């Protein structure tokens, strides 16, 4: 009986640890913050006087680079405002985030034409 209890405790511990992950293996909190930070720089979002809470993520999809250049993993994110008036289906976000003075710093890595969207996605 004691062995059964130990086995069940180990099983539930690993189950709980696995629940905190997502299918892309990314830090969703950092990713969501980076997406909202980038969306807030969009001209239409600024002009429409939207707030951070008006930005909603629709999907985050892993991409693969078409060239052999070694770069951090990138993702294509589809976001939109709460009223659906402003949106972007090709926001590029890197897995590596640089944060300075509370602001996310983006390192450009070329145009999204360098990437192919995969079917590995998280949908909200």
């Amino acid at each position: 009986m004691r062995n059964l209890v130990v086995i069940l405790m180990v099983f539930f511990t690993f189950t709980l640890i696995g629940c905190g992950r997502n299918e892309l293996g990314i830090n969703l909190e950092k990713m969501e913050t980076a997406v909202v930070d980038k969306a807030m720089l969009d001209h239409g979002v600024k002009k429409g006087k939207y707030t951070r809470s008006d930005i909603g993520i629709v999907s985050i999809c892993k991409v693969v680079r078409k060239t052999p250049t070694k770069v951090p993993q990138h993702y294509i994110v589809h976001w939109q405002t709460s009223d659906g008036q402003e949106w972007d289906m090709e926001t590029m976000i890197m897995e590596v985030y640089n944060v300075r003075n509370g602001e996310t710093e983006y390192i450009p890595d070329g145009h999204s034409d360098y990437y192919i969207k995969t079917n590995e996605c998280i949908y909200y």
Side-chain angles (χ1 to χ4, degrees), residues 62-76 92 94 107-118:
K62 193 173 189 177
V63 297
V64 292
R65 190 167 169 87
K66 293 179 185 179
T67 64
T69 305
K70 183 78 172 148
V71 295
Q73 179 60 54
H74 282 65
Y75 300 87
I76 289 183
M92 295 294 293
M94 282 192 297
I107 303 169
D109 183 42
H111 193 267
S112 60
D113 289 346
Y114 291 118
Y115 297 90
I116 301 170
K117 183 178 171 182
T118 69

PDB file of all heavy atoms in Angstrom, residues 62-76 92 94 107-118:
ATOM      1  N   LYS A  62       4.591  28.629 -34.478  1.00  0.00           N
ATOM      2  CA  LYS A  62       6.020  28.472 -34.678  1.00  0.00           C
ATOM      3  C   LYS A  62       6.321  28.586 -36.174  1.00  0.00           C
ATOM      4  O   LYS A  62       5.514  28.187 -37.000  1.00  0.00           O
ATOM      5  CB  LYS A  62       6.435  27.096 -34.176  1.00  0.00           C
ATOM      6  CG  LYS A  62       7.891  26.876 -34.024  1.00  0.00           C
ATOM      7  CD  LYS A  62       8.134  25.528 -33.355  1.00  0.00           C
ATOM      8  CE  LYS A  62       9.587  25.384 -32.984  1.00  0.00           C
ATOM      9  NZ  LYS A  62       9.817  24.121 -32.268  1.00  0.00           N
ATOM     10  N   VAL A  63       7.467  29.166 -36.513  1.00  0.00           N
ATOM     11  CA  VAL A  63       7.889  29.264 -37.904  1.00  0.00           C
ATOM     12  C   VAL A  63       9.273  28.637 -38.051  1.00  0.00           C
ATOM     13  O   VAL A  63      10.007  28.504 -37.083  1.00  0.00           O
ATOM     14  CB  VAL A  63       7.918  30.727 -38.420  1.00  0.00           C
ATOM     15  CG1 VAL A  63       6.543  31.342 -38.409  1.00  0.00           C
ATOM     16  CG2 VAL A  63       8.881  31.576 -37.618  1.00  0.00           C
ATOM     17  N   VAL A  64       9.594  28.255 -39.277  1.00  0.00           N
ATOM     18  CA  VAL A  64      10.942  27.777 -39.583  1.00  0.00           C
ATOM     19  C   VAL A  64      11.548  28.733 -40.592  1.00  0.00           C
ATOM     20  O   VAL A  64      10.849  29.281 -41.444  1.00  0.00           O
ATOM     21  CB  VAL A  64      10.942  26.326 -40.124  1.00  0.00           C
ATOM     22  CG1 VAL A  64      10.534  25.351 -39.043  1.00  0.00           C
ATOM     23  CG2 VAL A  64      10.052  26.169 -41.329  1.00  0.00           C
ATOM     24  N   ARG A  65      12.832  28.943 -40.475  1.00  0.00           N
ATOM     25  CA  ARG A  65      13.538  29.868 -41.365  1.00  0.00           C
ATOM     26  C   ARG A  65      13.858  29.170 -42.682  1.00  0.00           C
ATOM     27  O   ARG A  65      14.265  28.012 -42.690  1.00  0.00           O
ATOM     28  CB  ARG A  65      14.806  30.367 -40.684  1.00  0.00           C
ATOM     29  CG  ARG A  65      15.467  31.498 -41.417  1.00  0.00           C
ATOM     30  CD  ARG A  65      16.524  32.162 -40.544  1.00  0.00           C
ATOM     31  NE  ARG A  65      17.347  33.067 -41.307  1.00  0.00           N
ATOM     32  CZ  ARG A  65      17.065  34.335 -41.537  1.00  0.00           C
ATOM     33  NH1 ARG A  65      15.987  34.859 -41.032  1.00  0.00           N
ATOM     34  NH2 ARG A  65      17.871  35.098 -42.242  1.00  0.00           N
ATOM     35  N   LYS A  66      13.676  29.884 -43.790  1.00  0.00           N
ATOM     36  CA  LYS A  66      13.933  29.335 -45.123  1.00  0.00           C
ATOM     37  C   LYS A  66      15.417  29.264 -45.452  1.00  0.00           C
ATOM     38  O   LYS A  66      15.807  28.583 -46.383  1.00  0.00           O
ATOM     39  CB  LYS A  66      13.241  30.188 -46.189  1.00  0.00           C
ATOM     40  CG  LYS A  66      11.742  30.136 -46.150  1.00  0.00           C
ATOM     41  CD  LYS A  66      11.186  31.038 -47.247  1.00  0.00           C
ATOM     42  CE  LYS A  66       9.694  31.134 -47.210  1.00  0.00           C
ATOM     43  NZ  LYS A  66       9.174  32.020 -48.262  1.00  0.00           N
ATOM     44  N   THR A  67      16.252  29.990 -44.711  1.00  0.00           N
ATOM     45  CA  THR A  67      17.691  29.997 -44.969  1.00  0.00           C
ATOM     46  C   THR A  67      18.402  29.320 -43.806  1.00  0.00           C
ATOM     47  O   THR A  67      17.847  29.219 -42.708  1.00  0.00           O
ATOM     48  CB  THR A  67      18.211  31.441 -45.134  1.00  0.00           C
ATOM     49  OG1 THR A  67      18.013  32.126 -43.898  1.00  0.00           O
ATOM     50  CG2 THR A  67      17.509  32.159 -46.257  1.00  0.00           C
ATOM     51  N   PRO A  68      19.640  28.883 -44.010  1.00  0.00           N
ATOM     52  CA  PRO A  68      20.343  28.147 -42.953  1.00  0.00           C
ATOM     53  C   PRO A  68      20.911  29.020 -41.825  1.00  0.00           C
ATOM     54  O   PRO A  68      21.554  28.501 -40.926  1.00  0.00           O
ATOM     55  CB  PRO A  68      21.473  27.455 -43.718  1.00  0.00           C
ATOM     56  CG  PRO A  68      21.725  28.324 -44.897  1.00  0.00           C
ATOM     57  CD  PRO A  68      20.384  28.906 -45.263  1.00  0.00           C
ATOM     58  N   THR A  69      20.668  30.305 -41.846  1.00  0.00           N
ATOM     59  CA  THR A  69      21.190  31.196 -40.809  1.00  0.00           C
ATOM     60  C   THR A  69      20.677  30.759 -39.441  1.00  0.00           C
ATOM     61  O   THR A  69      19.501  30.511 -39.258  1.00  0.00           O
ATOM     62  CB  THR A  69      20.757  32.649 -41.076  1.00  0.00           C
ATOM     63  OG1 THR A  69      21.167  33.015 -42.381  1.00  0.00           O
ATOM     64  CG2 THR A  69      21.353  33.601 -40.059  1.00  0.00           C
ATOM     65  N   LYS A  70      21.574  30.683 -38.469  1.00  0.00           N
ATOM     66  CA  LYS A  70      21.213  30.287 -37.109  1.00  0.00           C
ATOM     67  C   LYS A  70      20.686  31.505 -36.360  1.00  0.00           C
ATOM     68  O   LYS A  70      21.405  32.470 -36.131  1.00  0.00           O
ATOM     69  CB  LYS A  70      22.444  29.702 -36.400  1.00  0.00           C
ATOM     70  CG  LYS A  70      22.174  29.200 -35.022  1.00  0.00           C
ATOM     71  CD  LYS A  70      21.505  27.857 -35.070  1.00  0.00           C
ATOM     72  CE  LYS A  70      21.419  27.297 -33.659  1.00  0.00           C
ATOM     73  NZ  LYS A  70      20.277  26.480 -33.441  1.00  0.00           N
ATOM     74  N   VAL A  71      19.412  31.483 -36.018  1.00  0.00           N
ATOM     75  CA  VAL A  71      18.780  32.584 -35.286  1.00  0.00           C
ATOM     76  C   VAL A  71      17.906  31.979 -34.187  1.00  0.00           C
ATOM     77  O   VAL A  71      17.553  30.806 -34.250  1.00  0.00           O
ATOM     78  CB  VAL A  71      17.902  33.474 -36.209  1.00  0.00           C
ATOM     79  CG1 VAL A  71      18.747  34.185 -37.242  1.00  0.00           C
ATOM     80  CG2 VAL A  71      16.809  32.663 -36.855  1.00  0.00           C
ATOM     81  N   PRO A  72      17.517  32.783 -33.187  1.00  0.00           N
ATOM     82  CA  PRO A  72      16.590  32.275 -32.182  1.00  0.00           C
ATOM     83  C   PRO A  72      15.267  31.872 -32.836  1.00  0.00           C
ATOM     84  O   PRO A  72      14.921  32.361 -33.912  1.00  0.00           O
ATOM     85  CB  PRO A  72      16.382  33.471 -31.249  1.00  0.00           C
ATOM     86  CG  PRO A  72      17.555  34.354 -31.482  1.00  0.00           C
ATOM     87  CD  PRO A  72      17.940  34.148 -32.914  1.00  0.00           C
ATOM     88  N   GLN A  73      14.536  30.986 -32.179  1.00  0.00           N
ATOM     89  CA  GLN A  73      13.236  30.559 -32.697  1.00  0.00           C
ATOM     90  C   GLN A  73      12.306  31.762 -32.828  1.00  0.00           C
ATOM     91  O   GLN A  73      12.256  32.601 -31.948  1.00  0.00           O
ATOM     92  CB  GLN A  73      12.603  29.515 -31.767  1.00  0.00           C
ATOM     93  CG  GLN A  73      11.239  29.028 -32.212  1.00  0.00           C
ATOM     94  CD  GLN A  73      11.272  28.366 -33.570  1.00  0.00           C
ATOM     95  OE1 GLN A  73      12.030  27.454 -33.804  1.00  0.00           O
ATOM     96  NE2 GLN A  73      10.440  28.844 -34.482  1.00  0.00           N
ATOM     97  N   HIS A  74      11.595  31.843 -33.930  1.00  0.00           N
ATOM     98  CA  HIS A  74      10.632  32.914 -34.174  1.00  0.00           C
ATOM     99  C   HIS A  74       9.224  32.352 -34.214  1.00  0.00           C
ATOM    100  O   HIS A  74       9.021  31.161 -34.463  1.00  0.00           O
ATOM    101  CB  HIS A  74      10.918  33.607 -35.514  1.00  0.00           C
ATOM    102  CG  HIS A  74      12.051  34.566 -35.474  1.00  0.00           C
ATOM    103  ND1 HIS A  74      13.339  34.199 -35.239  1.00  0.00           N
ATOM    104  CD2 HIS A  74      12.070  35.909 -35.655  1.00  0.00           C
ATOM    105  CE1 HIS A  74      14.113  35.262 -35.269  1.00  0.00           C
ATOM    106  NE2 HIS A  74      13.368  36.315 -35.527  1.00  0.00           N
ATOM    107  N   TYR A  75       8.256  33.224 -34.005  1.00  0.00           N
ATOM    108  CA  TYR A  75       6.848  32.866 -34.028  1.00  0.00           C
ATOM    109  C   TYR A  75       6.082  33.935 -34.792  1.00  0.00           C
ATOM    110  O   TYR A  75       6.431  35.114 -34.731  1.00  0.00           O
ATOM    111  CB  TYR A  75       6.287  32.773 -32.601  1.00  0.00           C
ATOM    112  CG  TYR A  75       7.007  31.732 -31.796  1.00  0.00           C
ATOM    113  CD1 TYR A  75       8.167  32.040 -31.100  1.00  0.00           C
ATOM    114  CD2 TYR A  75       6.550  30.420 -31.755  1.00  0.00           C
ATOM    115  CE1 TYR A  75       8.855  31.074 -30.379  1.00  0.00           C
ATOM    116  CE2 TYR A  75       7.225  29.452 -31.047  1.00  0.00           C
ATOM    117  CZ  TYR A  75       8.377  29.785 -30.362  1.00  0.00           C
ATOM    118  OH  TYR A  75       9.061  28.833 -29.664  1.00  0.00           O
ATOM    119  N   ILE A  76       5.048  33.535 -35.501  1.00  0.00           N
ATOM    120  CA  ILE A  76       4.129  34.491 -36.123  1.00  0.00           C
ATOM    121  C   ILE A  76       2.907  34.555 -35.229  1.00  0.00           C
ATOM    122  O   ILE A  76       2.325  33.526 -34.867  1.00  0.00           O
ATOM    123  CB  ILE A  76       3.734  34.064 -37.549  1.00  0.00           C
ATOM    124  CG1 ILE A  76       4.916  34.229 -38.492  1.00  0.00           C
ATOM    125  CG2 ILE A  76       2.540  34.890 -38.038  1.00  0.00           C
ATOM    126  CD1 ILE A  76       4.623  33.902 -39.938  1.00  0.00           C
ATOM    127  N   MET A  92       6.014  39.292 -36.107  1.00  0.00           N
ATOM    128  CA  MET A  92       7.107  38.361 -35.820  1.00  0.00           C
ATOM    129  C   MET A  92       7.645  38.627 -34.422  1.00  0.00           C
ATOM    130  O   MET A  92       7.946  39.765 -34.066  1.00  0.00           O
ATOM    131  CB  MET A  92       8.243  38.545 -36.827  1.00  0.00           C
ATOM    132  CG  MET A  92       7.877  38.185 -38.243  1.00  0.00           C
ATOM    133  SD  MET A  92       7.530  36.439 -38.490  1.00  0.00           S
ATOM    134  CE  MET A  92       9.138  35.739 -38.213  1.00  0.00           C
ATOM    135  N   MET A  94      10.483  36.988 -31.528  1.00  0.00           N
ATOM    136  CA  MET A  94      11.537  36.017 -31.245  1.00  0.00           C
ATOM    137  C   MET A  94      11.324  35.417 -29.873  1.00  0.00           C
ATOM    138  O   MET A  94      10.732  36.041 -28.997  1.00  0.00           O
ATOM    139  CB  MET A  94      12.906  36.692 -31.258  1.00  0.00           C
ATOM    140  CG  MET A  94      13.434  36.960 -32.625  1.00  0.00           C
ATOM    141  SD  MET A  94      15.170  37.433 -32.588  1.00  0.00           S
ATOM    142  CE  MET A  94      15.114  38.938 -31.653  1.00  0.00           C
ATOM    143  N   ILE A 107      15.070  42.981 -31.840  1.00  0.00           N
ATOM    144  CA  ILE A 107      16.202  42.929 -32.746  1.00  0.00           C
ATOM    145  C   ILE A 107      15.662  42.460 -34.089  1.00  0.00           C
ATOM    146  O   ILE A 107      15.190  41.337 -34.210  1.00  0.00           O
ATOM    147  CB  ILE A 107      17.275  41.954 -32.233  1.00  0.00           C
ATOM    148  CG1 ILE A 107      17.719  42.382 -30.831  1.00  0.00           C
ATOM    149  CG2 ILE A 107      18.452  41.896 -33.197  1.00  0.00           C
ATOM    150  CD1 ILE A 107      18.564  41.374 -30.117  1.00  0.00           C
ATOM    151  N   PRO A 108      15.661  43.315 -35.122  1.00  0.00           N
ATOM    152  CA  PRO A 108      15.100  42.917 -36.405  1.00  0.00           C
ATOM    153  C   PRO A 108      15.887  41.766 -37.031  1.00  0.00           C
ATOM    154  O   PRO A 108      17.095  41.693 -36.905  1.00  0.00           O
ATOM    155  CB  PRO A 108      15.194  44.175 -37.261  1.00  0.00           C
ATOM    156  CG  PRO A 108      16.032  45.135 -36.525  1.00  0.00           C
ATOM    157  CD  PRO A 108      16.198  44.658 -35.120  1.00  0.00           C
ATOM    158  N   ASP A 109      15.171  40.881 -37.669  1.00  0.00           N
ATOM    159  CA  ASP A 109      15.809  39.734 -38.310  1.00  0.00           C
ATOM    160  C   ASP A 109      15.272  39.568 -39.723  1.00  0.00           C
ATOM    161  O   ASP A 109      15.028  38.478 -40.185  1.00  0.00           O
ATOM    162  CB  ASP A 109      15.554  38.472 -37.497  1.00  0.00           C
ATOM    163  CG  ASP A 109      16.265  37.266 -38.089  1.00  0.00           C
ATOM    164  OD1 ASP A 109      17.427  37.420 -38.496  1.00  0.00           O
ATOM    165  OD2 ASP A 109      15.656  36.206 -38.193  1.00  0.00           O
ATOM    166  N   GLY A 110      15.034  40.639 -40.406  1.00  0.00           N
ATOM    167  CA  GLY A 110      14.539  40.537 -41.772  1.00  0.00           C
ATOM    168  C   GLY A 110      13.027  40.442 -41.812  1.00  0.00           C
ATOM    169  O   GLY A 110      12.348  40.516 -40.806  1.00  0.00           O
ATOM    170  N   HIS A 111      12.531  40.260 -42.986  1.00  0.00           N
ATOM    171  CA  HIS A 111      11.098  40.245 -43.234  1.00  0.00           C
ATOM    172  C   HIS A 111      10.526  38.852 -43.018  1.00  0.00           C
ATOM    173  O   HIS A 111      11.239  37.860 -43.067  1.00  0.00           O
ATOM    174  CB  HIS A 111      10.858  40.711 -44.679  1.00  0.00           C
ATOM    175  CG  HIS A 111       9.431  41.027 -44.946  1.00  0.00           C
ATOM    176  ND1 HIS A 111       8.570  40.102 -45.465  1.00  0.00           N
ATOM    177  CD2 HIS A 111       8.712  42.152 -44.751  1.00  0.00           C
ATOM    178  CE1 HIS A 111       7.375  40.649 -45.588  1.00  0.00           C
ATOM    179  NE2 HIS A 111       7.444  41.888 -45.163  1.00  0.00           N
ATOM    180  N   SER A 112       9.231  38.761 -42.801  1.00  0.00           N
ATOM    181  CA  SER A 112       8.592  37.472 -42.574  1.00  0.00           C
ATOM    182  C   SER A 112       8.681  36.560 -43.793  1.00  0.00           C
ATOM    183  O   SER A 112       8.419  35.369 -43.706  1.00  0.00           O
ATOM    184  CB  SER A 112       7.135  37.661 -42.157  1.00  0.00           C
ATOM    185  OG  SER A 112       6.420  38.341 -43.164  1.00  0.00           O
ATOM    186  N   ASP A 113       9.086  37.104 -44.950  1.00  0.00           N
ATOM    187  CA  ASP A 113       9.277  36.267 -46.140  1.00  0.00           C
ATOM    188  C   ASP A 113      10.370  35.221 -45.927  1.00  0.00           C
ATOM    189  O   ASP A 113      10.459  34.251 -46.667  1.00  0.00           O
ATOM    190  CB  ASP A 113       9.665  37.119 -47.357  1.00  0.00           C
ATOM    191  CG  ASP A 113       8.509  37.957 -47.856  1.00  0.00           C
ATOM    192  OD1 ASP A 113       7.368  37.686 -47.452  1.00  0.00           O
ATOM    193  OD2 ASP A 113       8.751  38.874 -48.646  1.00  0.00           O
ATOM    194  N   TYR A 114      11.236  35.425 -44.939  1.00  0.00           N
ATOM    195  CA  TYR A 114      12.303  34.477 -44.655  1.00  0.00           C
ATOM    196  C   TYR A 114      11.798  33.256 -43.887  1.00  0.00           C
ATOM    197  O   TYR A 114      12.555  32.338 -43.622  1.00  0.00           O
ATOM    198  CB  TYR A 114      13.413  35.124 -43.824  1.00  0.00           C
ATOM    199  CG  TYR A 114      14.197  36.163 -44.572  1.00  0.00           C
ATOM    200  CD1 TYR A 114      14.204  37.485 -44.152  1.00  0.00           C
ATOM    201  CD2 TYR A 114      14.958  35.822 -45.688  1.00  0.00           C
ATOM    202  CE1 TYR A 114      14.942  38.444 -44.829  1.00  0.00           C
ATOM    203  CE2 TYR A 114      15.699  36.775 -46.371  1.00  0.00           C
ATOM    204  CZ  TYR A 114      15.681  38.081 -45.940  1.00  0.00           C
ATOM    205  OH  TYR A 114      16.403  39.023 -46.609  1.00  0.00           O
ATOM    206  N   TYR A 115      10.531  33.247 -43.505  1.00  0.00           N
ATOM    207  CA  TYR A 115      10.003  32.204 -42.640  1.00  0.00           C
ATOM    208  C   TYR A 115       8.801  31.497 -43.245  1.00  0.00           C
ATOM    209  O   TYR A 115       8.064  32.060 -44.037  1.00  0.00           O
ATOM    210  CB  TYR A 115       9.586  32.803 -41.289  1.00  0.00           C
ATOM    211  CG  TYR A 115      10.760  33.386 -40.557  1.00  0.00           C
ATOM    212  CD1 TYR A 115      11.121  34.716 -40.728  1.00  0.00           C
ATOM    213  CD2 TYR A 115      11.532  32.599 -39.713  1.00  0.00           C
ATOM    214  CE1 TYR A 115      12.214  35.244 -40.066  1.00  0.00           C
ATOM    215  CE2 TYR A 115      12.628  33.114 -39.047  1.00  0.00           C
ATOM    216  CZ  TYR A 115      12.959  34.432 -39.228  1.00  0.00           C
ATOM    217  OH  TYR A 115      14.043  34.951 -38.580  1.00  0.00           O
ATOM    218  N   ILE A 116       8.597  30.262 -42.821  1.00  0.00           N
ATOM    219  CA  ILE A 116       7.428  29.474 -43.215  1.00  0.00           C
ATOM    220  C   ILE A 116       6.675  29.122 -41.947  1.00  0.00           C
ATOM    221  O   ILE A 116       7.246  28.564 -41.008  1.00  0.00           O
ATOM    222  CB  ILE A 116       7.847  28.182 -43.937  1.00  0.00           C
ATOM    223  CG1 ILE A 116       8.666  28.492 -45.193  1.00  0.00           C
ATOM    224  CG2 ILE A 116       6.616  27.333 -44.273  1.00  0.00           C
ATOM    225  CD1 ILE A 116       9.310  27.267 -45.812  1.00  0.00           C
ATOM    226  N   LYS A 117       5.398  29.449 -41.920  1.00  0.00           N
ATOM    227  CA  LYS A 117       4.551  29.146 -40.769  1.00  0.00           C
ATOM    228  C   LYS A 117       4.312  27.636 -40.700  1.00  0.00           C
ATOM    229  O   LYS A 117       4.045  26.997 -41.702  1.00  0.00           O
ATOM    230  CB  LYS A 117       3.224  29.885 -40.919  1.00  0.00           C
ATOM    231  CG  LYS A 117       2.276  29.720 -39.769  1.00  0.00           C
ATOM    232  CD  LYS A 117       1.031  30.560 -40.034  1.00  0.00           C
ATOM    233  CE  LYS A 117      -0.051  30.277 -39.034  1.00  0.00           C
ATOM    234  NZ  LYS A 117      -1.243  31.054 -39.322  1.00  0.00           N
ATOM    235  N   THR A 118       4.433  27.072 -39.492  1.00  0.00           N
ATOM    236  CA  THR A 118       4.163  25.658 -39.301  1.00  0.00           C
ATOM    237  C   THR A 118       2.743  25.464 -38.765  1.00  0.00           C
ATOM    238  O   THR A 118       2.031  26.445 -38.526  1.00  0.00           O
ATOM    239  CB  THR A 118       5.154  25.035 -38.289  1.00  0.00           C
ATOM    240  OG1 THR A 118       4.866  25.555 -36.989  1.00  0.00           O
ATOM    241  CG2 THR A 118       6.607  25.316 -38.671  1.00  0.00           C
TER     242      THR A 118
END
